[in-house]
Amino acid sequence: MKCGYFAIFTPNVHVYFENKTKQMNPYKLIPILGLALVSGYASLAQESRSGKNKKKNKAVEEKVDPGLADTLVAPIPLNRQMFTDRVSNAIRGIDAKDGSVDGVVANPDPTKSKLLTQAFLVDALKLRNKIENAAITHPQKIAYHKALADKLNQFKSVANDNVDAVGYRQLMKNFEGLILAEINGTSMDFVKANANLYTLDNIEVLDSNKEAKAYVYKSVGLQYPEKMLMYLDKIATEPYTDEIIAAAAKSSPRSIMSYAAPNSKYGYIVRRNQDPAVKTIVNIIDKSPKTSFKVLQFMNQIKDGDITIEQVNQIVQNQDAYYKSLVKLKISGKAISESEIDKELEVQSLVYVRRVNELHEASDAVRFKSVEGFDPEEYYFMLLGGETNEIYTSSYLGIFKRMMAKMGKESGYALLEKVKMSNFRTFIRMSAGYNTISEFLKTMTEVEKTTLLRDFVAGLEKGSRSDLKDAVDVADGFGSLQDKDLVEFLKNEVKDNYERVYKNKNKTLSKAEQEKGVIIYGLLASIFNSSADPDNLQDAVKEIPPINYLDIGSLSNASGEVVVQAFFYGDKDGKDSYGFFMGNFKGNKNWKIDESNPNWTTITSVGDKKVTYYANKPLTEPDDEKAQNKLYEYLDANEIRPAVVIHRGHSYHLEGSLKGLTPDVKIVMLGSCGGFHNLANVLDKAPDAHIISTKQIGTYMVNDPIIRNMNEYLLAGKRVDWLEMWQSLGKFFASKSAREKELFSDYIPPNKNLGAIFIKAYRKMELSSQS
């Protein structure tokens, strides 16, 4: 069939053949977004347009600069169309992931959608054309087309909703840069300028370039040795492998310990290494097989001869001795890594926090007996350990009181210096949250106090673009402050830091640090200056959806139903919580309960507005997790998407409750806060979620009234108004016991969760800056 002319529109494509019109799928005949035609149709269009013969086309092909030409200048030969078709099909597959072939990679976030569309539908097709236009051999073109198709197909298996759009855009830019560098013979220059994880992820492009590939493995391996351990099968015989193993022993000794185990496939690679740190790890495994990971914390001291493996084995047998030794190790600066020692300190601190929590109804003499006699710095790390939402307010106050008493006349600033300012922002945030900040600051001189608060706000631009923990601590800490003078001081400090990063005098900040700092301090300034008024705060973070309420439409699915999923666990606390939870519905004429399924209970409203609860039964562990998985399978099979998720259980169960979050979830009731990591985990998966949390462990005494109050809005088909709801709950708890009032006062409604609001707004602004 001879083509008269093409008329291209998006997303519908009309192809006119002579005087007849047909509506066709855009991928049948035209390129993504009209940039170039695909497969055999590209040849037909090019021949029709150019009228050139094959020899002339070949000559043109050889003269084209692949870095400039992103549209085809010659037909794709038949013997290569199979490989270019693979690229086109992969692009089409990415486009079709959302069920529609429309030239857009769908994502709930428009900015992410734009970035992904550019990377995988636009730039990928341009790269295919650049490869075709390049003056390289037929086998080389086939190799690059195959590499491109494989890279695109990798993304096809990634869920669009939670994807790191900026990261994938950078990955594809790097992929293109590598291929063009290979084509132009400048691969070594490129890898030296881009020795990063993106290049490592795209290493397959360098399969035929041993020199460049070796440079990437060694250079990136020394920067990120723990990442390179995943490539041990590829570099086992390389001369630089021992150097990478030695580096990994310092940055990720726990990983090396796993690889060095006697039954490990690559144990021989680690055990042949003569680096002192590696040899120490091997000795620890061989001499302490049952306690090796605890002993590992003291690796540097063992290596330096400060202590023996046998002595450490004795220490780890005693809880108090082990905890005190960990604190000393942290302060000494000889820990194997900051992240490793912090994790272990948190685990061991929680041993004490949980003991005190469990005795909350006992006298102080009984309750706090297990934490008597510790030093101030040991109390300090106990408090930090409880930050993960395990500590009761009364437990915090009791331990804080003992820390202050043990300090005597010592300045709080001196204590922070003694602990090397370890996680001091988190400590300040907790002190503000439990209203002990003024007492702590009173121990300091004016100079010390000013220095501390300035340091609290300064330097938030450091770290990767996604590292927001310190900034969230500042936002949350500010939200808890009651001292007006402190509030004004922090406002001014944020303003001064904004000016600092914006002007970047003497170019002391990198471009990335400056960009991050401008967003962080600009956003904090807006939040701080508006947080007292709900309407003003909403205006300050206009980048995100409303924070004071949720429209019922955003909670309802296509059939108008609101779906709620509640998670329970099989320990005593979980079984009790389930019983209290069911009490909200049993005997209530508004609800119908179906407990016939062995794994979950279904609770359905009987009124005009359909609301359905799915709650897994708290079967004895490990059957509780199996019940949750069975419920997940049912919901997925029936395409049921919860809009509300309720977690009822200890913090160590939280990961199980959050693993199935999707962007459809708009309300998450954590029951416990857990600081930045839990907030970020929720918002990674449900970017627009409104989060209800508490500074301490959640309790049915507050959770159930919140659920009942929320149900009133849902059953009435009304928007969920947090200001109105919290006012109503405040009246309800006003007549309750002092204990219940205290518990409720620690709960944070979504509109006052400054940490979550900050993360949402920052991510929106950071994404916009990348697009």
Side-chain angles (χ1 to χ4, degrees), residues 169-207:
R169 178 81 189 279
Q170 293 300 323
L171 180 69
M172 292 307 294
K173 282 185 176 179
N174 177 279
F175 184 83
E176 178 174 345
L178 263 179
I179 284 185
L180 296 182
E182 278 282 275
I183 289 172
N184 292 325
T186 57
S187 297
M188 282 304 298
D189 292 336
F190 182 88
V191 297
K192 286 179 179 179
N194 297 275
N196 54 42
L197 291 176
Y198 294 123
T199 304
L200 181 63
D201 283 343
N202 292 324
I203 195 73
E204 68 275 8
V205 175
L206 299 173
D207 279 348

Side-chain angles (χ1 to χ4, degrees), residues 659-680:
K659 69 180 181 181
L661 290 183
T662 72
D664 296 305
V665 175
K666 302 302 179 186
I667 297 176
V668 176
M669 193 168 170
L670 287 183
S672 48
C673 180
F676 167 72
H677 295 296
N678 286 340
L679 295 179

Side-chain angles (χ1 to χ4, degrees), residues 209-246:
N209 192 328
K210 291 184 179 180
E211 182 186 8
K213 195 171 186 177
Y215 181 88
V216 173
Y217 277 144
K218 181 177 180 180
S219 180
V220 180
L222 292 175
Q223 291 179 68
Y224 309 97
E226 66 281 4
K227 300 280 187 185
M228 279 305 301
L229 294 178
M230 295 183 291
Y231 294 82
L232 272 184
D233 59 326
K234 296 180 173 62
I235 65 170
T237 60
E238 298 296 338
Y240 50 78
T241 301
D242 286 347
E243 193 176 351
I244 291 173
I245 293 291

Side-chain angles (χ1 to χ4, degrees), residues 331-347:
I331 294 172
S332 73
K334 281 198 168 187
I336 51 176
S337 77
E338 288 302 304
S339 61
E340 286 284 347
I341 190 68
D342 285 347
K343 287 177 186 175
E344 188 62 14
L345 267 174
E346 179 184 316
V347 169

